[in-house]
């Protein structure tokens, strides 16, 4: 808009000065023609008609005193032959207008500005009658030109708001039309996640740089999809292959412990068995996460009472809370129903409550809240205790990430519980977030759609 306005002002200034020059040129042409007519029709025969006739004809034809015109004629010897009368309103005094400087050899013009604001253009040219050279000066007010220029300025100023409105509307329309494909690409790009990398950005078909950029992005998404599928397949295959030998090792250790009589050997075997069980749990979690993220886990979607599910889990885990003297408080008890897999959602609630109990100090407090808004059910777990560092918050749901290195590895687990929660929520079309509350608490919030709607661009669970 700034460039358009600058262009308009430049065009206006150019037009104004061009019109000014044109009016000045036209006035000078008019005055030159008048001087030539005076010479041709009056001075040419001055010897026969006499100088009095010339003065009378000039006054009758051009009325200098009434029409603000100026005429002066000099004889060949430089003396004054004729001088127009002073105007009635005395806008200027003809005798004060400078005489032509000798020698006058050709055409010349000048602009005169008087103290009272009056303007005049005067042209001077020689006229020869035989060998005698007369000098004719003709002048006329430039006020008409100024009126024309002022009318032009008014018209341009009146047109300026129209120009601004038309330009803004045109620019808005053109830019909107130009950026509409970019907006569609942005919307489509936001819909692409790790769960639907098979989607592609819509190509414009315009054959320009935007289409080439879209094609490059689609090729990149294709490569990312291949890499992600390869990584997911590797995780699934590796987890699957590890489960069998770990199960065999666990079983053999259990048999050996039963058959071993020595207390020292049995203690070492128990320690090995605990590590194998821990490793087996990690592998099972990795297997579950990989299947969820790859879309290979089967979700048994059904209408369920999410409030009752949370109550049952809270009652089952009450023993762990009592051991640490941690109180569990419901801040809201709204009845919430949604479409989901009860087994998977129970795992979400168990992991969040287990984490809350684990990291809440003795005689601390855990608050549970349920709400429903905008077609989404929200489940919030808030526990007292040390806040999670701001640096750790963005990585809480990454695999094997454990916030708070001061805790023991066994206490803080393998760092897969929250990752499983995140994967299950994503599989249901929801989300999970962690925040630090101003009062010094840590809060985890799960948002799940109340009604599951399968879309072509949403996360699809494949059998």
């Amino acid at each position: 808009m700034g460039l358009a306005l600058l262009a308009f002002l430049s065009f206006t200034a150019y037009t104004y000065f061009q019109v000014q020059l044109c009016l000045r040129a036209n006035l000078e042409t008019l005055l030159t023609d008048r001087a030539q007519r005076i010479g041709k029709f009056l001075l040419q025969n001055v010897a026969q008609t006499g100088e009095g006739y010339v003065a009378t004809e000039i006054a009758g034809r051009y009325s200098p005193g009434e029409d603000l015109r100026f005429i002066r004629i000099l004889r060949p010897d430089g003396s004054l032959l004729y001088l127009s009368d002073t105007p009635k309103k005395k806008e200027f005094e003809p005798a004060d207008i400078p005489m032509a400087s000798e020698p006058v050899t050709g055409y010349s013009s000048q602009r005169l500005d008087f103290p009272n604001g009056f303007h005049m253009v005067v042209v001077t040219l020689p006229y020869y009658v035989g060998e005698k050279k007369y000098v004719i000066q003709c002048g006329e007010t430039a006020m008409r030109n100024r009126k024309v220029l002022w009318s032009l300025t008014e018209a341009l100023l009146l047109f300026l708001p129209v120009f601004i409105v038309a330009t803004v509307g045109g620019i808005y329309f053109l830019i909107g039309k130009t950026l509409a494909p970019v907006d569609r690409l942005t919307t489509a790009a936001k819909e692409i996640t790790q769960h639907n990398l098979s989607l592609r950005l819509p190509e414009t078909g315009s054959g320009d740089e935007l289409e080439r950029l879209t094609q490059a992005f689609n090729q990149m998404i294709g490569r990312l999809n291949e890499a992600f599928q390869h990584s997911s397949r590797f995780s699934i295959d590796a987890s699957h292959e590890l489960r069998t030998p770990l199960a065999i090792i666990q079983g053999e250790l259990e048999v050996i412990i039963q058959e071993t009589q020595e207390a020292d050997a049995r203690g070492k075997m128990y320690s090995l068995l605990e590590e194998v069980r821990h490793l087996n749990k990690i592998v099972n979690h990795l297997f579950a996460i990989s299947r969820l993220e790859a879309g290979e886990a089967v979700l048994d979607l059904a209408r369920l009472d999410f409030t009752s599910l949370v109550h049952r889990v809270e009652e089952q885990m009450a023993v762990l809370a009592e051991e640490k003297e941690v109180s569990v408080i419901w801040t809201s008890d709204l009845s919430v129903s949604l479409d989901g897999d009860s087994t998977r959602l129970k795992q979400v609630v168990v992991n969040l409550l287990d984490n809350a109990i684990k990291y809440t100090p003795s005689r601390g407090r855990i608050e549970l809240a349920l709400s429903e808004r905008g077609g989404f059910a929200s489940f919030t777990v808030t526990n007292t205790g040390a806040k999670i560092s701001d640096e750790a918050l963005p990585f809480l749901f990454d695999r094997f990430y454990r916030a708070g290195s001061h805790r023991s590895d066994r206490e803080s687990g393998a760092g897969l519980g929250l990752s499983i929660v995140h994967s299950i929520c994503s599989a249901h079309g929801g989300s999970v977030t962690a925040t630090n509350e101003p009062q010094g608490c840590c809060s985890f919030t799960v948002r799940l759609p109340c009604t599951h709607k399968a879309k072509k661009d949403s996360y699809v669970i494949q059998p």
Side-chain angles (χ1 to χ4, degrees):
M1 182 58 204
L3 291 175
L5 185 59
L6 179 62
F8 175 78
L9 294 177
S10 301
F11 172 77
T12 301
Y14 174 79
T15 302
Y16 180 88
F17 288 113
Q18 286 297 318
V19 171
Q20 185 182 47
L21 292 175
C22 181
L23 292 174
R24 172 74 179 270
N26 288 339
L27 182 57
E28 291 179 358
T29 301
L30 174 65
L31 294 174
T32 302
D33 291 342
R34 182 178 300 165
Q36 289 176 345
R37 287 196 301 271
I38 291 173
K40 181 178 180 180
F41 296 108
L42 299 178
L43 292 180
Q44 189 69 34
N45 302 315
V46 69
Q48 291 80 18
T49 60
E51 294 181 351
Y53 175 80
V54 173
T56 302
E57 288 295 317
I58 291 176
R61 292 185 182 186
Y62 303 109
S63 303
E66 297 181 0
D67 295 337
L68 299 178
R69 293 170 179 168
F70 166 75
I71 298 175
R72 176 191 282 152
I73 301 175
L74 300 178
R75 298 186 182 95
D77 60 359
S79 60
L80 184 64
L81 187 152
Y82 174 81
L83 180 63
S84 57
D85 297 332
T86 302
K88 293 180 179 180
K89 294 183 179 181
K90 298 182 179 181
E91 287 86 355
F92 66 94
E93 185 60 45
D96 294 338
I97 295 177
M99 301 202 39
S101 57
E102 293 289 344
V104 178
T105 57
Y107 166 86
S108 64
S109 69
Q110 58 181 329
R111 173 189 170 95
L112 301 177
D113 297 319
F114 297 91
N116 59 0
F118 190 79
H119 306 278
M120 176 174 285
V121 175
V122 178
V123 300
T124 302
L125 76 158
Y127 188 82
Y128 290 88
V129 179
E131 294 182 356
K132 296 179 180 181
K133 183 180 72 173
Y134 291 83
V135 176
I136 304 174
Q137 286 185 295
C138 290
E140 189 166 324
T141 176
M143 296 303 293
R144 294 188 182 91
N145 291 359
R146 291 177 62 85
K147 290 180 179 179
V148 172
L149 291 174
W150 179 244
S151 299
L152 175 63
T153 303
E154 286 184 333
L156 292 174
L157 291 177
L158 290 174
F159 180 70
L160 180 60
V162 178
F163 170 81
I164 292 176
V165 172
T167 304
V168 170
I171 290 175
Y172 185 84
F173 173 76
L174 291 176
I175 291 180
K177 187 175 181 180
T178 303
L179 295 182
V182 178
D183 188 56
R184 289 194 293 269
L185 291 177
T186 303
T187 303
K190 290 180 180 179
E191 298 295 329
I192 298 177
T193 65
Q194 64 179 12
H195 304 300
N196 55 8
L197 286 173
S198 59
L199 293 179
R200 294 296 180 267
L201 300 178
E203 295 187 6
T204 59
S206 57
D208 56 7
E209 292 80 0
L210 184 60
E211 183 180 10
R212 291 194 291 273
L213 178 63
T214 303
Q215 292 173 350
F217 272 119
N218 284 335
Q219 294 171 3
M220 180 187 68
I221 295 171
R223 294 191 295 269
L224 288 175
N225 188 28
E226 293 178 1
F228 182 78
Q229 293 297 331
H230 178 76
S231 175
S232 299
R233 177 52 54 190
F234 174 79
S235 299
I236 294 174
D237 292 343
S239 301
H240 182 72
E241 292 297 327
L242 288 173
R243 294 173 72 188
T244 300
L246 285 174
I248 294 174
I249 294 174
Q250 180 176 332
E252 293 291 341
L253 284 174
E254 291 173 351
V255 172
I256 293 173
I257 289 173
Q258 292 178 358
E259 296 177 352
T260 301
Q261 301 299 324
E262 297 181 8
D264 185 54
R266 288 173 63 89
K268 292 180 180 180
M269 291 298 173
Y270 270 122
S271 178
L272 288 175
L273 181 59
E274 284 299 315
E275 294 300 327
V276 171
R277 287 174 177 171
H278 182 63
L279 185 58
N280 199 18
K281 182 179 179 181
I282 293 175
V283 171
N284 286 331
H285 285 174
L286 279 175
F287 184 68
I289 293 172
S290 299
R291 292 193 66 199
L292 285 168
E293 292 181 349
E296 295 186 1
V298 179
L299 291 186
D300 185 13
L301 298 175
R303 197 68 179 174
L304 58 91
D305 187 344
F306 189 60
T307 305
S308 299
L309 185 147
V310 174
H311 272 294
R312 289 197 303 271
V313 173
E314 185 262 332
E315 291 173 356
Q316 293 169 1
M317 302 191 69
V319 177
L320 296 178
E322 291 174 359
E323 289 179 357
K324 290 191 66 175
E325 298 182 357
V326 173
S327 58
V328 181
I329 302 172
W330 280 83
T331 58
S332 64
D333 199 5
L334 180 69
S335 179
V336 176
S337 299
L338 52 82
D339 294 340
D341 187 323
S342 59
T343 302
R344 298 290 187 184
L345 293 181
K346 179 180 179 181
Q347 193 174 4
V348 168
V349 179
V350 168
N351 285 352
L352 291 179
L353 278 177
D354 181 64
N355 268 1
I357 294 172
K358 188 183 298 181
Y359 297 128
T360 301
S362 179
R363 297 181 182 178
R365 185 180 73 258
I366 299 175
E367 296 179 356
L368 305 181
L370 274 171
S371 62
E372 183 179 348
R373 184 178 181 182
F376 279 83
S378 295
F379 171 58
T380 303
V381 179
T382 305
N383 66 290
T384 57
K387 294 199 295 187
I388 300 173
S389 65
D390 294 335
E391 294 79 10
L393 279 175
F395 308 102
L396 281 181
F397 302 101
D398 292 351
R399 299 182 191 181
F400 300 109
Y401 185 82
R402 290 174 293 182
S405 58
H406 61 279
R407 298 183 178 98
S408 66
D409 289 346
R410 184 64 65 193
E411 180 188 358
S412 57
L416 291 173
L418 292 179
S419 183
I420 291 177
V421 171
H422 180 268
S423 297
I424 294 175
C425 291
S426 297
H428 281 80
S431 63
V432 58
T433 56
T435 56
N436 286 318
E437 301 297 331
Q439 60 269 30
C441 303
C442 180
S443 178
F444 288 83
T445 301
V446 172
R447 293 184 77 248
L448 298 170
C450 294
T451 303
H452 180 80
K453 296 180 180 180
K455 301 179 182 178
K456 64 178 182 181
D457 57 347
S458 64
Y459 185 84
V460 179
I461 304 299
Q462 301 174 352

